[in-house]
Amino acid sequence: MNLKFPSTFQIALLLSLIVYLLAVAITLPIDANLLGYSFEVLGFWKTGFWELLEFTMQMILILVLGHTLAMSKPVNYLLDKVASTATNNSQAVLMTGMGAITGGYINWGFGLIFGAVLARKIGEYASRNNIEINYPLVAASGYLGMLVWHGGFSGSSTLKVAEDNHFLADTIGTITVDQTIFSSFNLWVNLSLIICLGISLYILSKRRFIKFDIAFEDKMFERKKIVGKGVDKLGYILGVLILVLVLVDFLKVGDEGWGFLDLNFVNFALLGFGLLAFGSLNEYVISLRDAVKGATDILIQFPFYAGILGIMKYSGLLVLLADDMVSRSGADTFPLLSFFSAALINFFVPSGGGQWAIQGPVVMEAAEKMGIEIPKMILVFAYGDQVSNMLQPFWALPLLSITGLSAKEILKYTSIFFLTAFIVFGLFVWYGVS
């Protein structure tokens, strides 16, 4: 019998129901009427349902704009050049892996598509030139951007808390990126991770493998052509204007620190680079339409995650959960437990932003009470959220579609990446956070 795994939307509904029942059962006042309080908790859900609309739009844009940039002509030209230099399996694997990691640090949507298309192009080049490569390993390497993204320039938790009025500002205040993304702790973690992943990729690429034959019948990702009197140049004009404004903010770093770097800044920069890369506003919009399809799950999931947060916040369940975590663990064990739980919850809430909306408040509340460094705990959550991407197929679906492979063909390699990263993150969390 074939078991069908529930969709992410069905999981969001199930989580909503579970949290609702928990809130009613745990926070019911002694003198309250059960039926009346049940409706009151539904009101909490309704109130919270609309409280993360800005965050929802920010996360949709960070995926869509990054995805669109990855499909531009300059990026495709770069990918073709890189693919043509891969003359053996080790080069193919390392180029794809490091390319995907670099793209992931820039933007998670960009890195996801960049790595997938690079793996496909290297496969096409190897097929045309009779170069023997381990194509499933190459494709798995193209997924590595999703293992590092939350420590880079598009991390949903790290960039959200850098905003002045984010939804946890009353609890933790504003945490600028120099305390998270650019902290020495995060830089050392990611440098160690890149070294360990590079070694893993090289060792795997040297192992004997069965030649994998795949027919590349269609040349993918050719730039769409506009039928009309000519291609407009509005993209260049608008792109330059936006990037000038981005540069002005960036030049203020010496005076105002890194407070300007948040989700809105990153999205604005992605829009400017994307418009400049396409040149034509018409072509940009056409590619944007294709990219928007990949944001459907975020669009429908996030209001339900916001509703869950509303139940937890207004019913008092949030404080109760935080108090329970404090009582069951200490400052020495809580960071590692938070890392484990973030990795586990990511299987059920595969959106980093959605997971931050649900788990972030509990972790931050408990960390505050224990006196643990908040910036480091934000990073602990980020590491846990991203590490289990290597085991769950949700964000791998675009890569599988582009490369023409199935999940089981790359899982044996991504599971090794998971173990490598899990050890690196775990050691740093255990010894570096208190």
Side-chain angles (χ1 to χ4, degrees):
M1 181 176 67
N2 293 325
L3 295 176
K4 187 177 180 181
F5 195 75
S7 69
T8 52
F9 178 57
Q10 290 171 328
I11 291 174
L13 288 175
L14 180 61
L15 286 174
S16 299
L17 178 60
I18 291 173
V19 172
Y20 168 73
L21 294 175
L22 282 175
V24 172
I26 296 175
T27 66
L28 177 68
I30 297 176
D31 56 348
N33 176 271
L34 176 61
L35 183 60
Y37 186 68
S38 298
F39 276 102
E40 187 177 351
V41 174
L42 279 178
F44 299 153
W45 176 76
K46 177 185 175 184
T47 300
F49 199 84
W50 305 113
E51 289 188 342
L52 293 181
L53 288 180
E54 180 186 11
F55 191 29
T56 302
M57 189 62 179
Q58 287 171 326
M59 295 310 298
I60 289 174
L61 286 175
I62 210 165
L63 169 62
V64 170
L65 297 178
H67 184 157
T68 305
L69 179 60
M71 306 309 298
S72 67
K73 188 175 181 179
V75 173
N76 270 270
Y77 178 80
L78 172 65
L79 291 172
D80 285 330
K81 287 295 184 182
V82 172
S84 66
T85 63
T87 59
N88 58 57
N89 188 55
S90 292
Q91 290 180 359
V93 170
L94 286 168
M95 284 180 182
T96 306
M98 292 304 152
I101 288 173
T102 302
Y105 280 124
I106 295 172
N107 171 268
W108 66 275
F110 175 80
L112 176 62
I113 304 303
F114 184 91
V117 178
L118 178 57
R120 170 78 184 212
K121 285 183 178 290
I122 286 179
E124 290 177 344
Y125 179 80
S127 179
R128 290 195 303 268
N129 294 276
N130 296 315
I131 300 172
E132 192 170 304
I133 64 170
N134 184 345
Y135 186 58
L137 175 57
V138 171
S141 303
Y143 192 45
L144 282 174
M146 295 304 294
L147 185 55
V148 303
W149 73 278
H150 219 148
F153 294 117
S154 63
S156 50
S157 61
T158 52
L159 292 182
K160 190 61 185 175
V161 298
E163 298 175 6
D164 290 333
N165 298 308
H166 62 90
F167 63 90
L168 293 177
D170 292 340
T171 304
I172 62 175
T174 300
I175 310 294
T176 53
V177 295
D178 56 309
Q179 302 174 71
T180 53
I181 298 173
F182 296 121
S183 67
S184 58
F185 178 73
N186 188 53
L187 294 177
W188 277 113
V189 169
N190 282 278
L191 177 61
S192 303
L193 179 62
I194 291 172
I195 292 172
C196 292
L197 287 175
I199 294 171
S200 298
L201 289 172
Y202 183 77
I203 293 173
L204 288 171
S205 71
K206 289 298 183 181
R207 296 186 64 182
R208 295 189 63 178
F209 58 90
I210 300 173
K211 186 176 180 181
F212 192 90
D213 294 319
I214 183 168
F216 296 102
E217 298 177 357
D218 301 317
K219 188 176 181 182
M220 300 184 72
F221 311 112
E222 288 186 334
R223 200 182 190 199
K224 290 180 172 63
K225 303 297 181 183
I226 304 297
V227 178
K229 294 183 179 180
V231 178
D232 67 271
K233 302 298 181 183
L234 293 176
Y236 290 121
I237 299 171
L238 190 55
V240 169
L241 176 61
I242 290 174
L243 291 178
V244 167
L245 296 174
V246 167
L247 181 61
V248 169
D249 281 340
F250 186 78
L251 292 176
K252 294 178 182 178
V253 65
D255 302 323
E256 303 178 6
W258 291 95
F260 70 91
L261 188 53
D262 55 19
L263 285 169
N264 291 333
F265 177 86
V266 171
N267 279 327
F268 202 50
L270 286 172
L271 177 61
F273 281 117
L275 287 166
L276 194 62
F278 277 85
S280 165
L281 185 58
N282 288 334
E283 289 194 15
Y284 183 76
V285 170
I286 288 175
S287 294
L288 194 68
R289 288 171 184 163
D290 291 336
V292 166
K293 297 174 184 176
T296 305
D297 286 288
I298 293 178
L299 177 65
I300 195 65
Q301 289 176 53
F302 262 62
F304 284 88
Y305 295 146
I308 291 173
L309 178 58
I311 293 174
M312 294 170 63
K313 182 168 62 173
Y314 297 117
S315 69
L317 181 62
L318 174 61
V319 175
L320 291 175
L321 290 174
D323 288 341
D324 184 69
M325 293 179 75
V326 171
S327 65
R328 292 176 183 272
S329 60
D332 53 342
T333 58
F334 180 68
L336 199 60
L337 291 174
S338 297
F339 169 69
F340 291 156
S341 64
L344 179 63
I345 292 173
N346 184 45
F347 284 100
F348 306 100
V349 187
S351 164
Q355 186 174 342
W356 177 246
I358 297 173
Q359 188 178 7
V362 180
V363 173
M364 293 298 100
E365 185 82 25
E368 274 281 301
K369 293 182 178 181
M370 292 185 189
I372 303 174
E373 293 181 68
I374 294 299
K376 284 188 176 180
M377 284 305 302
I378 294 169
L379 290 171
V380 167
F381 163 83
Y383 302 150
D385 164 69
Q386 65 189 9
V387 72
S388 51
N389 282 336
M390 295 297 100
L391 297 182
Q392 61 102 338
F394 179 72
W395 291 116
L397 294 178
L399 177 134
L400 297 174
S401 175
I402 290 170
T403 58
L405 296 172
S406 63
K408 67 178 182 181
E409 288 166 329
I410 70 167
L411 184 60
K412 60 182 177 182
Y413 300 114
T414 58
S415 60
I416 295 175
F417 302 153
F418 165 79
L419 289 173
T420 302
F422 194 84
I423 292 171
V424 172
F425 289 140
L427 288 174
F428 272 94
V429 169
W430 179 251
Y431 291 106
V433 183
S434 61

